[in-house]
Amino acid sequence: MALSPTPAQRRVVAAADPGTGRLRGTEAQLAGLVKRGLAFRHPRPPHDHFLTPAGHRIREAGGEPEIPVASAAASQDVSPAPASREVFAARVGGEPSVAGAAGDARLREVRGAWQGLLELRRMTHPDGSTDRPCAWERSHLVRAAALALEAAGHRPAGPDGGDEDGDGGGYRVRATPQPEAVAVHEPDGAALRACAETLERAGWQVGEHTEPRSRARYLLASPRKV
């Protein structure tokens, strides 16, 4: 389970620059945010810190107000948030049903995470481009592809193989033995092609293949490098 940010770290997140996600805080606070996956240290001087997609999601949610401050002691960087609060993760398909997973709040979270990821691309690519995946996506292939699909409105498969409405469809993103490649499964042919178009727009190279035994069609997607 990912570590939740402390109240002081949430205030640093809430005070981030709304356009760039640049952070200001003590070294301990910034290092703590990096450890929690909410910030990254820019590789080029002056090595400023910026929000990751998960950090943008917390900022969009309001940062500090989610944790009540009962006294002055709560303002110290020592009190962890409740352990049940986890960092945002896109749905890869097949997870157990979660209350509110398909509601408006979830949609806002997903869109906020996607905008944060685009900002992460801009800040980490030397040319400032946002049209191709960044290093974070290459090291989190399944989560990155799933975020692109969920942010575009595609529905993930439910735990029983159908989508959340019980229609028998929904995407599933899975790791593959191939380096820098994920497989995307979707039983509906039109929906599968729509997933391919979404991933291509998001900067992925996509090919459609057929499973030898089941003859089912699936996508093989890799982050585009140029």
Side-chain angles (χ1 to χ4, degrees), residues 89-127:
R91 300 197 64 196
V92 301
E95 302 94 336
S97 298
V98 178
D104 291 341
R106 175 66 182 185
L107 182 60
R108 288 192 297 271
E109 291 178 348
V110 173
R111 288 177 175 173
W114 176 248
Q115 290 303 315
L117 183 56
L118 292 180
E119 182 63 20
L120 185 59
R121 289 182 178 186
R122 186 181 74 81
M123 295 305 304
T124 56
H125 285 146
D127 60 358

Side-chain angles (χ1 to χ4, degrees), residues 63-182:
E64 183 185 352
E66 294 183 10
I67 297 181
V69 179
S71 66
S75 66
Q76 301 300 316
D77 195 8
V78 294
S79 303
S84 61
R85 300 194 66 84
E86 298 185 25
V87 175
F88 170 86
R91 300 197 64 196
V92 301
E95 302 94 336
S97 298
V98 178
D104 291 341
R106 175 66 182 185
L107 182 60
R108 288 192 297 271
E109 291 178 348
V110 173
R111 288 177 175 173
W114 176 248
Q115 290 303 315
L117 183 56
L118 292 180
E119 182 63 20
L120 185 59
R121 289 182 178 186
R122 186 181 74 81
M123 295 305 304
T124 56
H125 285 146
D127 60 358
S129 65
T130 61
D131 62 351
R132 65 184 186 278
C134 61
W136 182 90
E137 292 168 273
R138 296 179 189 281
S139 62
H140 300 80
L141 293 171
V142 172
R143 290 171 59 187
L147 177 56
L149 292 173
E150 191 176 0
H154 298 278
R155 296 192 177 192
D160 58 353
D163 66 16
E164 293 175 332
D165 292 334
D167 295 333
Y171 68 78
R172 291 174 181 264
V173 184
R174 297 294 182 265
T176 73
Q178 301 187 39
E180 290 205 351
V182 297

